[in-house]
């Protein structure tokens, strides 16, 4: 049986960037934490690291340490280091695996999550593009590629990835579907497709009725259409949800 080498894909991104902030999405927790034996339920789970933690070892010490491990152990080390905010150690570990096995399962996806948390948007896109090539039926890979495109202001490309993620994701993943619909609506709105944005924000609310950010963005979309009364209602719901959270 022939083995196919995965070549990392990286397309030119000579475009203006668009910031992605926590206020723009129901959740920034779109990364995944590796959990041996439970790899089938990874989409949109886990935590992201706010600030990198200084490495505990020198480059030479780290390289010596990694040389004593097999690839599975190195992979777990990379994930643990990422979770601890030791980004450079995690990145070095992923690169170590890729020196000998460019087909290691899910490595480009997790490397993309790491690059995203490091603020390296073009590298994240490159990694997620390769992750999609490696595993074209992964809803999480398509979602995160779409989100990375969105963060670069590439909304047309993001729309295609979000739509593919929705085709692949299980109906049982209610929370995740809300996030995808929300982000799809955001990209539609940013692309000037206001009516489509409204549809997607409503779809998101069907899965997450109390999503304050979703109500807020729906209100903005209604405002863009000149529907002042509808917009006022959505902003009111968003404020009420915000007040309810602050009292909890």
């Amino acid at each position: 049986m022939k083995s196919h080498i995965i070549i990392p894909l990286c397309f030119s991104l000579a475009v203006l960037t668009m910031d992605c902030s926590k206020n723009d999405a129901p959740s920034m927790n779109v990364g995944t934490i590796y959990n041996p034996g439970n790899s089938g339920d990874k989409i949109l789970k886990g935590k992201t690291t706010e600030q990198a933690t200084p490495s505990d070892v020198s480059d030479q010490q780290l390289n010596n340490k990694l040389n004593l491990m097999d690839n599975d152990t190195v992979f777990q080390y990379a994930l643990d280091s990422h979770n601890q905010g030791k980004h450079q150690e995690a990145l070095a570990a992923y690169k170590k695996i890729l020196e000998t096995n460019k087909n290691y399962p899910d490595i480009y996806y997790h490397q993309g999550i790491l690059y995203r948390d490091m603020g390296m948007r073009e590298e994240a896109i490159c990694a997620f593009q390769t992750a999609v090539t490696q595993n074209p039926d992964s809803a999480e890979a398509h979602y995160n590629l779409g989100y990375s495109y969105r963060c670069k202001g590439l909304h047309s490309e993001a729309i295609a990835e979000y739509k593919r993620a929705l085709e692949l994701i299980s109906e049982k993943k209610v929370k995740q579907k809300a996030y995808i619909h929300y982000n799809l609506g955001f990209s539609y709105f940013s692309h000037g497709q206001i009516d489509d944005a409204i549809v997607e924000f409503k779809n998101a609310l069907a899965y997450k009725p109390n999503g304050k950010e979703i109500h807020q963005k729906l209100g903005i979309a209604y405002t863009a259409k000149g529907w002042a009364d509808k917009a006022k209602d959505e902003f009111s719901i968003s404020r009420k949800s915000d007040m309810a959270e602050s009292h909890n």
Side-chain angles (χ1 to χ4, degrees), residues 83-220:
N83 292 342
Q84 295 165 16
K86 299 175 182 177
H87 294 164
Q88 292 300 331
E89 288 188 35
L91 186 57
Y94 287 135
K95 289 181 176 179
K96 190 69 176 178
I97 294 173
L98 290 171
E99 288 177 3
T100 59
N101 186 358
K102 295 188 182 301
N103 293 301
Y104 192 91
D106 295 328
I107 189 167
Y108 295 103
Y109 173 80
H110 289 283
Q111 190 180 49
I113 295 293
L114 175 62
Y115 278 134
R116 185 206 65 201
D117 288 355
M118 294 174 72
M120 301 170 67
R121 293 175 177 173
E122 293 190 14
E123 289 82 357
I125 288 174
C126 180
F128 287 131
Q129 285 172 341
T130 310
V132 166
T133 300
Q134 188 181 43
N135 189 2
D137 293 329
S138 169
E140 58 187 343
H142 284 283
Y143 172 86
N144 281 283
L145 177 55
Y147 189 81
S148 295
Y149 280 142
R150 177 194 144 181
C151 288
K152 287 289 293 183
L154 300 172
H155 293 289
S156 180
E157 291 84 348
I159 288 167
E161 296 303 325
Y162 289 144
K163 290 170 74 172
R164 183 58 180 150
L166 285 170
E167 291 173 359
L168 293 168
I169 192 172
S170 168
E171 274 296 324
K172 296 179 181 179
K173 300 197 180 278
V174 174
K175 183 178 180 180
Q176 295 91 331
K177 287 180 75 71
Y179 293 166
I180 300 173
H181 280 296
Y182 171 87
N183 281 282
L184 178 55
F186 186 101
S187 283
Y188 271 137
F189 184 89
S190 299
H191 202 245
Q193 297 173 245
I194 310 303
D195 290 334
D196 290 323
I198 290 172
V199 169
E200 293 306 324
F201 290 142
K202 287 182 175 179
N203 286 338
L205 287 172
Y207 292 102
K208 191 178 181 184
N210 298 321
K212 65 178 183 180
E213 296 89 352
I214 307 173
H215 283 290
Q216 182 185 57
K217 290 298 189 295
L218 181 56
I220 292 172

Side-chain angles (χ1 to χ4, degrees), residues 56-75:
D56 293 332
V57 295
S58 68
D59 291 344
Q60 186 60 52
Q61 288 174 321
L62 177 59
N63 189 56
N64 292 339
K65 187 175 183 178
L66 295 176
N67 282 335
L68 298 174
M69 304 177 187
D70 60 27
N71 279 348
D72 290 344
T73 306
V74 174
F75 185 65

Side-chain angles (χ1 to χ4, degrees), residues 10-41:
C10 195
F11 304 140
S12 176
L13 299 170
V15 296
L16 295 177
T17 62
M18 177 178 177
D19 288 337
C20 289
S21 71
K22 288 185 177 181
N23 295 326
D24 284 338
S27 173
M28 286 294 291
N29 298 335
V30 296
T32 63
I33 303 304
Y34 182 63
N35 184 8
N38 188 30
S39 61
D41 185 29

